[in-house]
Amino acid sequence: MAKLTIGTAARLGDQLIRDGLITQDQLEAALSHQQESGGRIGAALVGGGAISSSALVQALSNKLGIRGCVLRHGLIDPKVAKIISKEEAERLRVLPLFRVRDELTTAMVEPQSLPTLDRLRQLSGCTIRPVLVLEDNLAEYQTKYSAEEVNVDSFLASIEESDVHITENEAVDEGPITNLDDMVDGSPIINLVNLAILTALRSGASDVHIEPDRDATHVRFRVDGHLREMLKPPRGMHASIVSRIKVIGRMDIAERRLPQEGRVHLMADGREVDLRVSSMPTILGEKIVLRILDNSNLSFDFQTLGMQDDDKGCIEEMVKCPYGLILVTGPTGSGKTTTLYSAIDLLRGESTNIVTIEDPVEYQLPLVNQIQVNERVGLTFARTLRSVLRQDPDVIMVGEIRDEDTARVAIQSALTGHLVLSTLHTNDCPGAVMRLLDMGIEPYLIASSVLGFVAQRLARSICTSCKTSYYPAPNLLESVGWGHRTTELFQTGEGCRQCNNSGFSGRSGIYEVMTLDPELKRLIQAGASEMDMRVHLAQCGWRTLRQKALDLVDRGESTLEEVLRVTRTESVDPAAVAGNAERPLTCEEVTV
């Protein structure tokens, strides 16, 4: 939008009069002010109170046929804003807002200037999507976002409380967000929620926690299993943030006394993402947790997940069996569901009827019939599983075995010619046997139905951008039997911007696989203790989670402190294993 001459200003003014946005007297007063002080007619009209900034932008947008916006905090990605240098941005009168793949949405005073568009393409290497802004509005945000360090919290604190508003009509009529990248029109609260979700996705976060406090709202992301505070909006915004998230999650915004759950399907950064929303009342207000289910980050390759060839081979042998029960164990957040989906992916095909029973369904898979339990209406795991058996299934995945009823139906299904996969909350494979016994399952049923167990953990991987060498504390080395390695250098991460100064980036799986060989079956049927099973496994050369985790340290993929944090030592009497002459059994020998 080139600088308006008096003639051009008059034509714009005439258009605004025809649109009923200003009066003739207001235009004449603005023209008189412009002649005296210079500047633009638009600024004179806004300054004189004749028209609002947003109405002027809309009018100019309609006139030029280009989308316009009024810049607000939350609309601008601070990192993207620095793609163009401060000097170049001021010269061109532009400000990059956000990027979707190779398209850069940019606020421009002159969005029709071809030389400016060409220069932006050259500097950014992206296709430019221009958005019209007023010059004063652009200059204000250029100053804020061109600083060396962008203080998002101070920007959020500057939002006026009068700008924070969610109407009753919005709560009733507005549907879920379908495209987060379309952010030029929206209140500061909508922009803030969009910014939080987009930043979480780009950070690889699995969860977003929005927590009320006495003085502020804490927005924390769980990245690689650890929570990090990312934003701290003012306390007065908390109720509106919660209401906005409830709106997009199709939850009752009027209900603040009871927990609620919702789900959002949206487009962000050019990919489809599902969010599971959970609200919980606390003494300071409602806490919200968003679980991010991003299919683009889901890998079905066991090797990519960190599984070694011997374990991968054992699992593949088990899932090829026509019937039997396979149980994946580990604490919450250890990746059990991903392992189950990876096994299901190996079995998917037009000739196989696969049914899953989940709470809730996390990822949607083609050629798989997925059922979500609903205990409020009586659709429990056990009841659903009984009904599924009448659907002629070949493979059944049960999200979790929580009680004896579900365990018995799963075992009966395995005994009657179905391959059943499920999870248990136990620490390791031998502990899973004891858990089934504690549920009341008879030993002979376990021995005859279970193909094997998989236990797993997730350990953070050292950031490759700041990897360095260090000497671990001698007491740590002693604790894993490496007292003789005190002079060796091991790998760790120093911390850098890429890993948010944590020293870690990403996680790798640690797995132990226990298939039931004839001796293990005999021990289970004889009512042997967990220690008896561990002794037998040690004699066969079986390696525990801790031993598998130490391989990551030896390969320089994780730190000794990290693997000690996520695994524990299971003691076995050395005398019971002494003199062992048995060789480790192969997968073919131990798989039923």
Side-chain angles (χ1 to χ4, degrees):
M1 186 175 69
K3 187 171 181 178
L4 294 170
T5 63
I6 296 298
T8 307
R11 287 196 297 273
L12 173 62
D14 291 340
Q15 181 66 47
L16 294 175
I17 292 173
R18 285 195 295 271
D19 292 342
L21 297 173
I22 61 173
T23 65
Q24 183 66 42
D25 290 342
Q26 289 173 326
L27 174 60
E28 290 175 359
L31 287 171
S32 175
H33 182 273
Q34 184 194 25
Q35 286 179 317
E36 293 174 3
S37 59
R40 295 174 178 272
I41 184 63
L45 287 167
V46 172
I51 191 172
S52 67
S53 296
S54 57
L56 179 60
V57 167
Q58 186 62 51
L60 291 170
S61 174
N62 293 337
K63 184 178 179 65
L64 298 176
I66 293 176
R67 193 165 191 177
C69 75
V70 176
L71 296 180
R72 296 189 181 100
H73 302 304
L75 175 62
I76 306 162
D77 185 331
K79 292 183 179 178
V80 173
K82 295 184 179 181
I83 288 178
I84 309 298
S85 69
K86 176 184 177 182
E87 294 75 16
E88 196 77 23
E90 289 177 349
R91 185 181 70 81
L92 298 174
R93 292 185 293 177
V94 300
L95 179 65
L97 302 181
F98 51 88
R99 181 170 59 190
V100 181
R101 294 184 179 174
D102 60 349
E103 182 182 71
L104 182 66
T105 298
T106 306
M108 303 177 63
V109 173
E110 299 177 339
Q112 292 181 313
S113 170
L114 295 180
T116 302
L117 291 170
D118 288 340
R119 180 59 176 163
L120 285 173
R121 278 191 289 268
Q122 179 185 1
L123 292 171
S124 66
C126 298
T127 302
I128 304 302
R129 180 191 180 198
V131 178
L132 171 69
V133 294
L134 299 180
E135 188 166 20
D136 291 345
N137 185 218
L138 178 81
E140 175 189 356
Y141 283 82
Q142 275 182 333
T143 301
K144 293 177 178 178
Y145 281 87
S146 63
E148 285 300 313
E149 291 295 332
V150 177
N151 188 336
V152 177
D153 290 346
S154 66
F155 287 175
L156 296 175
S158 70
I159 299 176
E160 297 292 334
E161 288 195 19
S162 59
D163 291 333
V164 180
H165 182 62
I166 293 183
T167 66
E168 185 177 353
N169 287 337
E170 179 183 6
V172 173
D173 298 332
E174 183 170 315
I177 293 175
T178 55
N179 193 335
L180 278 186
D181 302 316
D182 186 14
M183 298 193 300
V184 283
D185 292 319
S187 74
I189 290 297
I190 293 176
N191 292 335
L192 173 58
V193 172
N194 289 349
L195 176 65
I197 294 172
L198 280 171
T199 307
L201 286 169
R202 292 165 181 169
S203 302
S206 61
D207 302 87
V208 179
H209 292 241
I210 301 170
E211 303 165 328
D213 203 349
R214 296 190 182 277
D215 302 317
T217 294
H218 299 280
V219 180
R220 300 194 290 169
F221 297 169
R222 187 176 295 279
V223 180
D224 296 335
H226 282 242
L227 283 172
R228 305 173 185 170
E229 184 163 275
M230 305 302 288
L231 300 171
K232 196 163 69 173
R235 177 71 175 92
M237 298 175 64
H238 183 79
S240 295
I241 294 171
V242 170
S243 294
R244 173 59 186 167
I245 293 173
K246 283 185 173 182
V247 165
I248 65 176
R250 293 299 192 184
M251 300 156 72
D252 183 359
I253 64 171
E255 179 56 74
R256 301 181 179 89
R257 301 165 299 172
L258 296 173
Q260 294 188 65
E261 293 183 359
R263 188 163 186 140
V264 186
H265 184 77
L266 51 83
M267 286 289 296
D269 271 353
R271 61 186 190 265
E272 292 188 22
V273 178
D274 283 310
L275 303 179
R276 275 168 37 199
V277 187
S278 172
S279 70
M280 179 68 66
T282 74
I283 60 172
L284 295 175
E286 288 182 278
K287 173 178 176 175
I288 297 284
V289 175
L290 305 175
R291 166 63 59 89
I292 299 173
L293 305 172
D294 185 359
N295 283 306
S296 65
N297 289 334
L298 187 64
S299 173
F300 294 131
D301 184 359
F302 284 129
Q303 211 129 23
T304 303
L305 297 175
M307 193 173 291
Q308 299 303 300
D309 289 339
D310 54 345
D311 294 330
K312 178 173 176 285
C314 282
I315 293 177
E316 289 177 347
E317 287 293 327
M318 285 193 288
V319 299
K320 288 177 184 176
C321 292
Y323 58 88
L325 176 62
I326 303 171
L327 290 172
V328 181
T329 75
T332 300
S334 59
K336 300 187 298 297
T337 301
T338 302
T339 299
L340 286 181
Y341 276 120
S342 300
I344 289 293
D345 191 58
L346 291 174
L347 300 167
R348 278 193 302 151
E350 294 182 358
S351 61
T352 306
N353 180 19
I354 302 175
V355 182
T356 72
I357 308 167
E358 307 173 62
D359 183 22
V361 173
E362 294 197 2
Y363 299 101
Q364 296 180 22
L365 302 175
L367 293 176
V368 178
N369 305 287
Q370 296 174 272
I371 303 168
Q372 182 161 308
V373 302
N374 187 345
E375 296 194 0
R376 288 180 296 178
V377 299
L379 191 65
T380 62
F381 276 112
R383 182 173 181 178
T384 308
L385 184 51
R386 289 191 182 94
S387 298
V388 162
L389 292 174
R390 294 189 284 274
Q391 292 282 313
D392 186 32
D394 297 302
V395 179
I396 305 169
M397 187 190 97
V398 183
E400 182 184 346
I401 292 179
R402 299 174 178 172
D403 50 43
E404 180 184 352
D405 195 15
T406 308
R408 285 195 178 279
V409 180
I411 287 175
Q412 191 61 38
S413 304
L415 291 173
T416 54
H418 305 90
L419 181 63
V420 182
L421 300 91
S422 190
T423 69
L424 270 178
H425 281 288
T426 62
N427 290 319
D428 56 13
C429 293
V433 176
M434 309 313 294
R435 174 71 177 130
L436 290 174
L437 292 171
D438 289 341
M439 284 182 174
I441 306 300
E442 292 78 7
Y444 75 91
L445 287 177
I446 299 173
S448 57
S449 64
V450 177
L451 295 172
F453 301 90
V454 180
Q456 64 183 85
R457 298 289 188 278
L458 292 175
R460 291 180 295 170
S461 301
I462 298 171
C463 175
T464 55
S465 299
C466 59
K467 181 181 282 191
T468 186
S469 299
Y470 82 120
Y471 292 102
N475 64 311
L476 291 180
L477 293 170
E478 290 283 354
S479 68
V480 297
W482 286 358
H484 58 289
R485 302 178 63 174
T486 53
T487 58
E488 287 186 38
L489 281 170
F490 290 80
Q491 300 297 306
T492 189
E494 283 187 311
C496 61
R497 294 186 65 179
Q498 279 70 26
C499 63
N500 202 25
N501 292 316
S502 67
F504 297 96
S505 179
R507 290 188 290 179
S508 184
I510 308 165
Y511 301 86
E512 67 177 20
V513 181
M514 186 180 86
T515 48
L516 298 195
D517 63 19
E519 178 60 18
L520 265 180
K521 291 184 177 183
R522 187 193 68 77
L523 289 170
I524 292 171
Q525 288 181 310
S529 67
E530 184 176 341
M531 183 55 66
D532 292 334
M533 286 188 284
R534 293 188 185 281
V535 169
H536 166 70
L537 290 166
Q539 289 174 344
C540 294
W542 185 74
R543 304 177 70 226
T544 65
L545 277 169
R546 170 63 61 83
Q547 291 167 328
K548 296 285 187 71
L550 290 174
D551 291 343
L552 293 178
V553 180
D554 264 336
R555 295 197 298 268
E557 297 175 14
S558 192
T559 66
L560 187 57
E561 292 85 352
E562 175 67 7
V563 301
L564 290 177
R565 182 184 67 84
V566 299
T567 63
R568 70 179 191 181
T569 301
E570 297 295 347
S571 57
V572 177
D573 183 6
V577 200
N580 165 44
E582 295 186 44
R583 61 175 174 80
L585 299 178
T586 65
C587 291
E588 291 76 12
E589 291 173 308
V590 299
T591 302
V592 179

